[in-house]
Amino acid sequence: MRRGTWFLIEDASGGGPNTADLLINREIEALIVGSEMSPAILEHFNDRGLPVFSANEVQIQRIDGIAFVNPDEVVAARARWAERMKTRQAEAKAEWLESNDPGVRVERKKEERKKLKQV
């Protein structure tokens, strides 16, 4: 396993934070998982900037037991992940601002009410 490698985990149901850190420390590029991963571990990977994709997002072809992915699908999946992370960071920042500044909380609620009235 080299730096920059995409790594396939067929059954992601049993890993914990220590296993996740082993993969993160190997500086792999991304994970593709064949089964559902624990939300806490998925969050752990996302917090550390390691993309995790389901086998439904990135189609896997197997030839003689070796997994291959289409490079175009990899680029598209990576772009979708980057957008999700931008949204996640913006939401986290908004939550932080709301929890630390009551004025921001009031302004945000006003904005939400305006949006509801427009709909």
Side-chain angles (χ1 to χ4, degrees), residues 17-104:
N18 291 335
T19 305
D21 287 336
L22 287 172
L23 292 169
I24 291 165
N25 291 337
R26 291 279 184 157
E27 297 182 344
I28 64 172
E29 182 73 21
L31 283 176
I32 301 173
V33 294
S35 64
E36 194 166 325
M37 179 178 280
S38 156
I41 299 304
L42 182 59
E43 185 83 11
H44 187 78
F45 280 121
N46 285 332
D47 287 344
R48 284 149 185 83
L50 182 68
V52 177
F53 304 102
S54 76
N56 296 329
E57 287 180 275
V58 179
Q59 185 179 5
I60 301 167
Q61 276 189 309
R62 289 181 176 80
I63 302 172
D64 293 330
I66 299 172
F68 293 91
V69 293
N70 180 326
D72 294 334
E73 285 188 38
V74 167
V75 169
R78 186 82 175 170
R80 288 189 304 270
W81 181 82
E83 279 301 312
R84 287 193 306 258
M85 290 304 102
K86 277 185 189 177
T87 301
R88 185 173 177 254
Q89 289 172 344
E91 289 171 355
K93 185 176 181 178
E95 281 182 29
W96 182 85
L97 285 171
E98 283 182 18
S99 67
N100 290 304
D101 186 349
V104 170

